[in-house]
Amino acid sequence: MHIHPKITPIYQTSVFKFEDLNELELYFGEPGSRYLYSRNGNPNSDELAEAVTHLEGGAGAVATGSGMAAIFAALLTYCTAGDHVLCAADIYGGSAALLNQELDRLGIGVSYVPFEDLTTNLAAYAQPRTRLLLCETISNPLLRVVDLRAAAEAAHALGLKLVLDNTFASPVLTQPFEYGADLVMHSVTKYLAGHSDVTAGVVVARTPEDAARLRQIGTLFGLTLSPMESWLAVRGIKTLRLRMEAHSRNAQAVAELLAQHPAVQEVFYPGLAQHPQHTLAREQGAGRFGGMVSFRLLDDSTNAVSRFMRASQRFPFAPSLAGVDSSLSYPAGTSHRALTEEQRQELGITAGLVRLSVGIEPVEELLADLHQALEATVV
Ligand SMILES: *Cc1c(COP(=O)(O)O)cnc(C)c1O
C-alpha cells in the first residue's frame, strides 16, 4: 500500500525506530537523513522551522515551546555568564522580566535603551562585554517602529549582534534580515499560528553556524516544540499572508474611527499619517501596518476602561493578541504590570491606555461595536 498524504501527518511520537546498528550510524553520518528522538528533531517541528526560515529568508531555525523560549534561545546563542545585553526600553514585558529576574542572576546583565537612542546614541549604553541589541520591529503597546537599517548599523558598528522580535510585524510586513538583523524571533502564538489556539515560538538565524547553535540550544535546554503544536502552527502559516492583509485593512479603519471620536484622546497606529514613524513604517511594512491599535481614552482612568470593556461585544478583554478574532488588552494591568508607576508614565502607559488586536471579522461590525463602547465611556 502506498499512502501519499497531501499534508504532512502529525508524527505524534517521542522516538523513532532503527532497523539495526548500520542505520544508527547513518543517522549520525548523514545529518538530516533520519530522526532519532523528537526533542532533537521531529518532522512537524522541522516543517515549522523550515516554513518560517523561508518566510524570513534565513539560513535555518529552531521551533520552541513558546515565544519566551525563543527569546531565551536567541539570547543564549550569543551570551555567556559575564556578558551584557542592550534592550529597547519599549519591549514585551516578558522579555524584560526574563532579563531582570532570571538572566541577571546567571550573570547576563542588561541595560535599557530609550527609543530615541536606539539608532543615534547606542554607544552611550554599551559596555566592554555587551554582545547584542534586542528590540522589536513594532513595539508594544505604543506601536513605535524601529528603523531597522539604522539599528543594525548602530549595533554592528559597536560589534553587537541585532536580535529582532518580529512578532508584531510578521514576515509578511517586514523581513528584518533584509535590513541586517542577525537573529529574528517570533512568538508563533501570535500572528504566525494566528488562531489563539497554540503556544509556540521560533528563532531564525541569518547564518548556518548560528542556526546550528540554535538547534543545539533548543535540544540541550529542552526548549523544542511538540509535533501537535508544530502541525497547528504550520496550518496557520498557510493563511498568514491573507490574514495580515485583512488585519491591516481592518486596523486602518478602526484607527481612523478612533482618531475622529471625541471620547478618544490619542491613537497609536503606524498607518495614520500623524504617527511619528508613518513613512518609515510604510517602507518597512510594504504599505501595510498590521493589526495592533492602541488608544488613550479622553477620560484617562481605569473606570472609563472598565466601562468600555463591559460595553464592547466584539473586543473581549483577553491579554494576548493577533488571533483572527478581535480582542483587547490593558497594558498597565497585564504586560506592563511589573513596571513601577513611574516607569509606566515614562513609557506613556497611562490608566486609560487600551490596546486592540483587530481581527479579520467584517469591519462594519467592529466599527459599530467600537462606536457604542466608546459612547459608554462618557457618563
Ligand atoms: C507574546 C509575545 C512574546 C512571548 O511569547 P509567548 O508565546 O507568550 O511565550 C514575545 N514577544 C512579543 C512581542 C510578544 O507579543
Side-chain angles (χ1 to χ4, degrees), residues 66-69 71 92 95 136 165 167-168 185 187-190 199-200 321:
S66 67
M68 289 303 299
I71 295 174
Y92 177 69
S95 308
E136 296 170 3
D165 183 337
T167 300
F168 270 39
M185 51 97 11
S187 169
V188 172
T189 314
K190 313 297 170 48
T199 298
L321 56 114

Side-chain angles (χ1 to χ4, degrees), residues 44 83 127 138 147 177 187 193 226-227 237 262 286 322 334 336 357 367:
N44 298 110
D83 286 346
Q127 298 177 8
I138 304 176
D147 183 337
F177 291 131
S187 169
S226 72
I237 284 173
T334 60
H336 293 71
S357 173
L367 298 181

Side-chain angles (χ1 to χ4, degrees), residues 101-121:
Q101 296 173 33
E102 298 297 338
L103 290 182
D104 187 67
R105 72 185 171 83
L106 300 183
I108 298 172
V110 59
S111 300
Y112 291 93
V113 184
F115 182 80
E116 305 73 41
D117 287 350
L118 280 173
T119 53
T120 53
N121 195 22

Side-chain angles (χ1 to χ4, degrees), residues 87-91 111-122 125 133-140 142-148 150-151 154 270 275-278 280-281 284 346-347:
C87 180
D90 304 70
I91 196 85
S111 300
Y112 291 93
V113 184
F115 182 80
E116 305 73 41
D117 287 350
L118 280 173
T119 53
T120 53
N121 195 22
L122 204 56
Y125 301 85
L133 169 64
L134 171 66
C135 66
E136 296 170 3
T137 318
I138 304 176
S139 81
N140 178 32
L142 294 183
L143 292 316
R144 290 164 131 179
V145 179
V146 173
D147 183 337
L148 297 184
H275 186 280
Q277 293 96 39
H278 175 62
L280 171 71
Q284 281 186 181
E346 227 162 77
L347 289 174

